[in-house]
mmCIF file of all heavy atoms in Angstrom:
data_model
loop_
_atom_site.group_PDB
_atom_site.id
_atom_site.type_symbol
_atom_site.label_atom_id
_atom_site.label_comp_id
_atom_site.label_asym_id
_atom_site.label_seq_id
_atom_site.Cartn_x
_atom_site.Cartn_y
_atom_site.Cartn_z
ATOM 1 N N ILE Q 220 3.581 25.938 -31.105
ATOM 2 C CA ILE Q 220 3.062 26.775 -32.193
ATOM 3 C C ILE Q 220 2.939 25.967 -33.481
ATOM 4 O O ILE Q 220 1.908 26.035 -34.179
ATOM 5 C CB ILE Q 220 3.975 28.002 -32.399
ATOM 6 C CG1 ILE Q 220 3.817 28.976 -31.228
ATOM 7 C CG2 ILE Q 220 3.663 28.703 -33.723
ATOM 8 C CD1 ILE Q 220 4.842 30.085 -31.201
ATOM 9 N N ASP Q 221 3.960 25.190 -33.791
ATOM 10 C CA ASP Q 221 3.932 24.384 -35.013
ATOM 11 C C ASP Q 221 2.776 23.388 -34.998
ATOM 12 O O ASP Q 221 2.101 23.172 -36.023
ATOM 13 C CB ASP Q 221 5.256 23.640 -35.186
ATOM 14 C CG ASP Q 221 6.422 24.579 -35.471
ATOM 15 O OD1 ASP Q 221 6.169 25.728 -35.889
ATOM 16 O OD2 ASP Q 221 7.584 24.172 -35.260
ATOM 17 N N GLU Q 222 2.537 22.778 -33.835
ATOM 18 C CA GLU Q 222 1.450 21.796 -33.744
ATOM 19 C C GLU Q 222 0.086 22.472 -33.836
ATOM 20 O O GLU Q 222 -0.842 21.943 -34.462
ATOM 21 C CB GLU Q 222 1.562 20.992 -32.451
ATOM 22 C CG GLU Q 222 2.759 20.066 -32.376
ATOM 23 C CD GLU Q 222 2.664 18.907 -33.375
ATOM 24 O OE1 GLU Q 222 1.569 18.666 -33.935
ATOM 25 O OE2 GLU Q 222 3.689 18.246 -33.595
ATOM 26 N N PHE Q 223 -0.057 23.643 -33.227
ATOM 27 C CA PHE Q 223 -1.335 24.360 -33.335
ATOM 28 C C PHE Q 223 -1.590 24.786 -34.783
ATOM 29 O O PHE Q 223 -2.725 24.720 -35.269
ATOM 30 C CB PHE Q 223 -1.355 25.582 -32.412
ATOM 31 C CG PHE Q 223 -1.688 25.258 -30.980
ATOM 32 C CD1 PHE Q 223 -0.865 25.681 -29.939
ATOM 33 C CD2 PHE Q 223 -2.826 24.539 -30.661
ATOM 34 C CE1 PHE Q 223 -1.175 25.396 -28.622
ATOM 35 C CE2 PHE Q 223 -3.150 24.235 -29.337
ATOM 36 C CZ PHE Q 223 -2.322 24.665 -28.326
ATOM 37 N N LEU Q 224 -0.554 25.214 -35.467
ATOM 38 C CA LEU Q 224 -0.710 25.587 -36.876
ATOM 39 C C LEU Q 224 -1.121 24.376 -37.710
ATOM 40 O O LEU Q 224 -1.954 24.489 -38.629
ATOM 41 C CB LEU Q 224 0.591 26.188 -37.405
ATOM 42 C CG LEU Q 224 0.937 27.594 -36.890
ATOM 43 C CD1 LEU Q 224 2.344 27.994 -37.334
ATOM 44 C CD2 LEU Q 224 -0.082 28.619 -37.383
ATOM 45 N N ALA Q 225 -0.545 23.213 -37.389
ATOM 46 C CA ALA Q 225 -0.925 21.984 -38.094
ATOM 47 C C ALA Q 225 -2.380 21.628 -37.815
ATOM 48 O O ALA Q 225 -3.118 21.187 -38.721
ATOM 49 C CB ALA Q 225 -0.008 20.834 -37.676
ATOM 50 N N ALA Q 226 -2.805 21.822 -36.569
ATOM 51 C CA ALA Q 226 -4.198 21.548 -36.215
ATOM 52 C C ALA Q 226 -5.145 22.497 -36.939
ATOM 53 O O ALA Q 226 -6.202 22.087 -37.440
ATOM 54 C CB ALA Q 226 -4.382 21.655 -34.706
ATOM 55 N N ILE Q 227 -4.766 23.778 -37.001
ATOM 56 C CA ILE Q 227 -5.599 24.768 -37.669
ATOM 57 C C ILE Q 227 -5.709 24.479 -39.168
ATOM 58 O O ILE Q 227 -6.768 24.679 -39.779
ATOM 59 C CB ILE Q 227 -5.033 26.176 -37.417
ATOM 60 C CG1 ILE Q 227 -5.290 26.587 -35.959
ATOM 61 C CG2 ILE Q 227 -5.640 27.198 -38.377
ATOM 62 C CD1 ILE Q 227 -4.589 27.856 -35.544
ATOM 63 N N LYS Q 228 -4.661 23.985 -39.756
ATOM 64 C CA LYS Q 228 -4.696 23.650 -41.182
ATOM 65 C C LYS Q 228 -5.750 22.581 -41.450
ATOM 66 O O LYS Q 228 -6.432 22.588 -42.496
ATOM 67 C CB LYS Q 228 -3.316 23.165 -41.628
ATOM 68 C CG LYS Q 228 -3.206 22.941 -43.126
ATOM 69 C CD LYS Q 228 -1.776 22.576 -43.518
ATOM 70 C CE LYS Q 228 -1.651 22.379 -45.024
ATOM 71 N NZ LYS Q 228 -0.259 22.039 -45.417
ATOM 72 N N LEU Q 229 -5.916 21.649 -40.484
ATOM 73 C CA LEU Q 229 -6.902 20.584 -40.631
ATOM 74 C C LEU Q 229 -8.294 21.008 -40.180
ATOM 75 O O LEU Q 229 -9.296 20.467 -40.670
ATOM 76 C CB LEU Q 229 -6.464 19.356 -39.822
ATOM 77 C CG LEU Q 229 -5.184 18.667 -40.286
ATOM 78 C CD1 LEU Q 229 -4.729 17.642 -39.254
ATOM 79 C CD2 LEU Q 229 -5.400 17.994 -41.643
ATOM 80 N N ALA Q 230 -8.372 21.955 -39.236
ATOM 81 C CA ALA Q 230 -9.669 22.390 -38.694
ATOM 82 C C ALA Q 230 -9.669 23.908 -38.578
ATOM 83 O O ALA Q 230 -9.607 24.464 -37.468
ATOM 84 C CB ALA Q 230 -9.920 21.731 -37.340
ATOM 85 N N PRO Q 231 -9.756 24.616 -39.699
ATOM 86 C CA PRO Q 231 -9.635 26.081 -39.681
ATOM 87 C C PRO Q 231 -10.800 26.807 -39.021
ATOM 88 O O PRO Q 231 -10.694 28.011 -38.781
ATOM 89 C CB PRO Q 231 -9.551 26.437 -41.176
ATOM 90 C CG PRO Q 231 -10.205 25.296 -41.872
ATOM 91 C CD PRO Q 231 -9.901 24.084 -41.060
ATOM 92 N N LYS Q 232 -11.879 26.114 -38.686
ATOM 93 C CA LYS Q 232 -13.032 26.764 -38.063
ATOM 94 C C LYS Q 232 -13.102 26.524 -36.556
ATOM 95 O O LYS Q 232 -14.075 26.922 -35.910
ATOM 96 C CB LYS Q 232 -14.328 26.254 -38.712
ATOM 97 C CG LYS Q 232 -14.424 26.524 -40.218
ATOM 98 C CD LYS Q 232 -14.391 28.010 -40.524
ATOM 99 C CE LYS Q 232 -14.548 28.275 -42.016
ATOM 100 N NZ LYS Q 232 -14.467 29.743 -42.334
ATOM 101 N N GLN Q 233 -12.092 25.895 -35.989
ATOM 102 C CA GLN Q 233 -12.065 25.644 -34.544
ATOM 103 C C GLN Q 233 -11.495 26.860 -33.824
ATOM 104 O O GLN Q 233 -10.289 27.078 -33.781
ATOM 105 C CB GLN Q 233 -11.233 24.399 -34.236
ATOM 106 C CG GLN Q 233 -11.881 23.101 -34.649
ATOM 107 C CD GLN Q 233 -13.113 22.786 -33.815
ATOM 108 O OE1 GLN Q 233 -13.193 23.138 -32.633
ATOM 109 N NE2 GLN Q 233 -14.082 22.126 -34.427
ATOM 110 N N ALA Q 234 -12.394 27.660 -33.258
ATOM 111 C CA ALA Q 234 -11.980 28.928 -32.648
ATOM 112 C C ALA Q 234 -10.993 28.742 -31.497
ATOM 113 O O ALA Q 234 -10.083 29.558 -31.315
ATOM 114 C CB ALA Q 234 -13.210 29.690 -32.161
ATOM 115 N N ASP Q 235 -11.167 27.678 -30.714
ATOM 116 C CA ASP Q 235 -10.285 27.476 -29.561
ATOM 117 C C ASP Q 235 -8.828 27.305 -29.976
ATOM 118 O O ASP Q 235 -7.916 27.661 -29.220
ATOM 119 C CB ASP Q 235 -10.728 26.247 -28.771
ATOM 120 C CG ASP Q 235 -12.039 26.479 -28.031
ATOM 121 O OD1 ASP Q 235 -12.491 27.638 -27.992
ATOM 122 O OD2 ASP Q 235 -12.602 25.495 -27.513
ATOM 123 N N LEU Q 236 -8.597 26.759 -31.150
ATOM 124 C CA LEU Q 236 -7.227 26.581 -31.622
ATOM 125 C C LEU Q 236 -6.531 27.925 -31.795
ATOM 126 O O LEU Q 236 -5.338 28.072 -31.495
ATOM 127 C CB LEU Q 236 -7.211 25.810 -32.936
ATOM 128 C CG LEU Q 236 -7.665 24.347 -32.871
ATOM 129 C CD1 LEU Q 236 -7.696 23.737 -34.279
ATOM 130 C CD2 LEU Q 236 -6.750 23.528 -31.965
ATOM 131 N N TYR Q 237 -7.265 28.925 -32.291
ATOM 132 C CA TYR Q 237 -6.678 30.254 -32.474
ATOM 133 C C TYR Q 237 -6.376 30.901 -31.116
ATOM 134 O O TYR Q 237 -5.370 31.612 -30.975
ATOM 135 C CB TYR Q 237 -7.622 31.137 -33.290
ATOM 136 C CG TYR Q 237 -7.775 30.675 -34.719
ATOM 137 C CD1 TYR Q 237 -8.839 29.860 -35.092
ATOM 138 C CD2 TYR Q 237 -6.844 31.037 -35.694
ATOM 139 C CE1 TYR Q 237 -8.980 29.408 -36.401
ATOM 140 C CE2 TYR Q 237 -6.981 30.598 -37.008
ATOM 141 C CZ TYR Q 237 -8.046 29.788 -37.353
ATOM 142 O OH TYR Q 237 -8.177 29.349 -38.651
ATOM 143 N N GLU Q 238 -7.236 30.646 -30.138
ATOM 144 C CA GLU Q 238 -6.960 31.183 -28.795
ATOM 145 C C GLU Q 238 -5.669 30.604 -28.240
ATOM 146 O O GLU Q 238 -4.803 31.333 -27.732
ATOM 147 C CB GLU Q 238 -8.116 30.880 -27.848
ATOM 148 C CG GLU Q 238 -7.864 31.382 -26.432
ATOM 149 C CD GLU Q 238 -8.997 31.067 -25.482
ATOM 150 O OE1 GLU Q 238 -9.984 30.425 -25.898
ATOM 151 O OE2 GLU Q 238 -8.886 31.477 -24.307
ATOM 152 N N GLU Q 239 -5.532 29.286 -28.319
ATOM 153 C CA GLU Q 239 -4.327 28.647 -27.786
ATOM 154 C C GLU Q 239 -3.086 29.050 -28.584
ATOM 155 O O GLU Q 239 -2.003 29.231 -28.000
ATOM 156 C CB GLU Q 239 -4.514 27.130 -27.793
ATOM 157 C CG GLU Q 239 -5.585 26.657 -26.813
ATOM 158 C CD GLU Q 239 -5.731 25.156 -26.787
ATOM 159 O OE1 GLU Q 239 -6.396 24.606 -27.682
ATOM 160 O OE2 GLU Q 239 -5.178 24.519 -25.864
ATOM 161 N N LEU Q 240 -3.237 29.207 -29.884
ATOM 162 C CA LEU Q 240 -2.116 29.674 -30.694
ATOM 163 C C LEU Q 240 -1.729 31.088 -30.287
ATOM 164 O O LEU Q 240 -0.522 31.402 -30.148
ATOM 165 C CB LEU Q 240 -2.500 29.644 -32.180
ATOM 166 C CG LEU Q 240 -1.458 30.205 -33.163
ATOM 167 C CD1 LEU Q 240 -0.167 29.383 -33.104
ATOM 168 C CD2 LEU Q 240 -2.022 30.239 -34.581
ATOM 169 N N GLY Q 241 -2.721 31.939 -30.078
ATOM 170 C CA GLY Q 241 -2.434 33.300 -29.629
ATOM 171 C C GLY Q 241 -1.708 33.323 -28.303
ATOM 172 O O GLY Q 241 -0.783 34.129 -28.093
ATOM 173 N N ASP Q 242 -2.116 32.440 -27.396
ATOM 174 C CA ASP Q 242 -1.447 32.372 -26.088
ATOM 175 C C ASP Q 242 0.028 31.996 -26.251
ATOM 176 O O ASP Q 242 0.895 32.531 -25.545
ATOM 177 C CB ASP Q 242 -2.147 31.352 -25.198
ATOM 178 C CG ASP Q 242 -3.542 31.793 -24.781
ATOM 179 O OD1 ASP Q 242 -3.864 32.988 -24.935
ATOM 180 O OD2 ASP Q 242 -4.322 30.932 -24.305
ATOM 181 N N GLU Q 243 0.311 31.066 -27.166
ATOM 182 C CA GLU Q 243 1.706 30.669 -27.391
ATOM 183 C C GLU Q 243 2.514 31.820 -27.982
ATOM 184 O O GLU Q 243 3.646 32.083 -27.563
ATOM 185 C CB GLU Q 243 1.774 29.455 -28.323
ATOM 186 C CG GLU Q 243 1.157 28.196 -27.758
ATOM 187 C CD GLU Q 243 1.787 27.732 -26.468
ATOM 188 O OE1 GLU Q 243 3.014 27.932 -26.287
ATOM 189 O OE2 GLU Q 243 1.066 27.173 -25.615
#
Side-chain angles (χ1 to χ4, degrees):
I220 289 170
D221 292 341
E222 292 292 346
F223 279 127
L224 288 172
I227 288 171
K228 187 175 181 179
L229 295 169
K232 300 299 182 182
Q233 289 292 328
D235 289 350
L236 293 176
Y237 293 96
E238 178 181 2
E239 293 182 280
L240 176 62
D242 292 345
E243 295 301 327

